[in-house]
Amino acid sequence: MAKNVYIAQTNCITPLGFDVDTNIAAISSGKTGISHVNDDKLMPQSFYGAVIDDKALDKAFVKISSGQNYTRLEKMMLLALYPVFKSSGILPDEKTALLVSTTKGNVTSLNDDTGDKPRLDNLAKTIADFFGFVTEPIVVSNACVSGIMAVSVAKRLLQAGMYDHTFVVGGDEVSEFILSGFNSFQAMSDEPCKPYSANRTGVNLGEAAAAALVTINEKNAIAKITGDGSVNDANHISGPSRTGEGLVRSIQSALSEANITSNKIDYISAHGTATPFNDEMEAIAFNRLDLQDVPVNSFKGYYGHTLGASGLLEMVIGLESMRRGELYTSAGYDAPGVSQPINVITENQKKDIAVFLKTASGFGGCNTAVLFEKTGNGRR
């Protein structure tokens, strides 16, 4: 029988705040981190995105370190993991792992000719050294499923007996490289994004870092990870399966491991990028699994698409929904814009959430689904 694996402490660093409570307060009040950005170092023309204030980031970072050689992304990720690590009381040993999720890491360092800084393994080593991890850090970089896939990988490493605890930290920042890429796809919206809406015009990019402790210790657990699945639909480098095949099979795999049927799911935090193909694919997949009536939201309307951080960040906020028994409005949604019916959350509401499904999909056809069950510690 597989070991039980839990999520304990969590944290996030976003334009809405530098801890979970501040982020939840902002979301509850309908505040979004997306704004109109004018920064010609990022893009010649202005754009809508969610960007962390540099001065606020530096002010927060000096409270945990006087180091001068950390990149902006490293500061975000260290700040995200710091309270999770400290409050855990865990001393790093050979049974403690670090997983780092990101898509582009320190890609901005390419402009500074800083040697090996852009390499993802160097980013992971920098974070590992800061906290004194003695095991080799593991990088999970699989497009936009990286963050939630890292949680899935952590669970499997613990169930395989390789570790007792895994700290997961994910992050990506808004950069010229990423903006130019999405702009070349003509995928960027010229207004705040509207996932699943008939009036959506594309994605906003955002930046964030998030962290969580994945552990076999039930003490202080927020939730139990009951099932996971990752299936690639092999459809197209930048377009998902038109039938939702990869996402369907990912959710089916998670349901099978959790030994539950889809009617037990109380809430879905979906990927919801606000691009036509993604939103449509998800709606089809949810209908194929009879999940069309389950309350669903996308947090992209608050954070934009934070790429390698998105799955982990949205898991953190989704777990807070479950812990607090609150469903939050899917920001930007105003009119049905997919061909299949789905139950998009249009206003904050109270709901007892026993089972929570987090999904993500990304370039290259990747899909990941993870199921969480509320524990006694998750009740207030």
Side-chain angles (χ1 to χ4, degrees):
M1 184 176 179
K3 291 180 181 178
N4 290 334
V5 176
Y6 304 92
I7 297 283
Q9 288 87 352
T10 63
N11 190 37
C12 57
I13 303 295
T14 83
L16 290 178
F18 289 0
D19 59 58
V20 173
D21 285 342
T22 305
N23 275 266
I24 292 296
I27 290 173
S28 298
S29 66
K31 182 179 179 181
T32 176
I34 296 171
S35 63
H36 197 222
V37 180
N38 284 288
D39 187 341
D40 57 11
K41 293 180 181 177
L42 293 174
M43 206 159 94
Q45 61 273 38
S46 61
F47 64 96
Y48 278 93
V51 179
I52 294 172
D53 180 74
D54 285 342
K55 291 182 180 178
L57 181 67
D58 289 340
K59 183 178 179 181
F61 189 72
V62 296
K63 295 178 181 177
I64 68 168
S65 173
S66 58
Q68 301 295 314
N69 295 322
Y70 294 107
T71 67
R72 190 169 177 275
L73 177 64
E74 288 164 357
K75 291 178 182 177
M76 290 163 52
M77 297 177 81
L78 291 170
L79 277 169
L81 184 56
Y82 190 84
V84 174
F85 181 83
K86 291 296 183 183
S87 63
S88 74
I90 296 171
L91 298 176
D93 58 15
E94 70 281 359
K95 298 294 283 185
T96 305
L98 171 67
L99 263 69
V100 175
S101 73
T102 185
T103 61
K104 297 303 174 191
N106 282 316
V107 68
T108 55
S109 297
L110 289 170
N111 300 327
D112 303 327
D113 190 25
T114 48
D116 293 335
K117 201 70 171 175
R119 285 173 36 185
L120 300 186
D121 61 321
N122 279 344
L123 169 63
K125 187 174 186 307
T126 297
I127 296 170
D129 289 347
F130 183 94
F131 292 103
F133 285 90
V134 299
T135 53
E136 190 77 15
I138 300 166
V139 175
V140 177
S141 184
N142 186 9
C144 301
V145 306
S146 300
I148 193 63
M149 175 173 270
V151 174
S152 171
V153 171
K155 164 185 166 286
R156 296 184 185 199
L157 291 173
L158 267 57
Q159 288 181 328
M162 295 181 66
Y163 305 102
D164 292 335
H165 316 287
T166 301
F167 290 90
V168 180
V169 61
D172 263 313
E173 62 179 332
V174 173
S175 67
E176 179 185 20
F177 182 92
I178 291 171
L179 286 165
S180 63
F182 275 83
N183 197 37
S184 68
F185 281 128
Q186 299 182 339
M188 291 177 60
S189 175
D190 57 0
E191 60 180 347
C193 67
K194 299 179 176 181
Y196 308 115
S197 167
N199 302 307
R200 66 190 184 278
T201 56
V203 67
N204 300 138
L205 292 170
E207 58 187 12
L213 171 61
V214 184
T215 176
I216 61 171
N217 189 349
E218 187 175 4
K219 184 181 179 182
N220 299 323
I222 300 170
K224 176 183 174 183
I225 308 174
T226 56
D228 67 290
S230 293
V231 174
N232 192 294
D233 60 41
N235 178 73
H236 186 270
I237 188 66
S238 61
S241 163
R242 302 301 187 257
T243 63
E245 193 64 30
L247 182 56
V248 167
R249 295 192 185 198
S250 297
I251 297 172
Q252 285 176 329
S253 177
L255 288 168
S256 176
E257 183 182 1
N259 195 28
I260 62 171
T261 52
S262 61
N263 64 355
K264 298 297 184 183
I265 296 173
D266 297 307
Y267 161 57
I268 303 170
S269 167
H271 195 48
T273 60
T275 61
F277 286 133
N278 175 84
D279 292 4
E280 178 70 9
M281 178 277 290
E282 289 184 294
I284 291 171
F286 294 151
N287 274 266
R288 286 181 60 185
L289 293 165
D290 202 22
L291 291 167
Q292 64 274 11
D293 295 325
V294 179
V296 60
N297 62 10
S298 163
F299 290 114
K300 301 295 191 294
Y302 299 98
Y303 299 117
H305 192 347
T306 58
L307 307 180
S310 62
L312 188 58
L313 169 64
E314 293 159 11
M315 178 203 77
V316 169
I317 303 301
L319 288 174
E320 280 301 301
S321 283
M322 184 164 69
R323 191 168 76 88
R324 298 170 186 239
E326 298 174 348
L327 294 175
Y328 302 117
T329 302
S330 191
Y333 180 79
D334 52 11
V338 291
S339 67
Q340 305 288 313
I342 53 174
N343 184 14
V344 180
I345 301 167
T346 57
E347 59 182 13
N348 295 346
Q349 55 194 274
K350 291 286 187 181
K351 179 180 174 65
D352 187 23
I353 304 168
V355 178
F356 156 49
L357 170 65
K358 174 65 197 138
T359 67
S361 303
F363 284 168
C366 50
N367 300 270
T368 295
V370 179
L371 281 165
F372 302 90
E373 179 183 288
K374 185 161 65 175
T375 65
N377 296 318
R379 301 178 190 278
R380 286 200 153 183

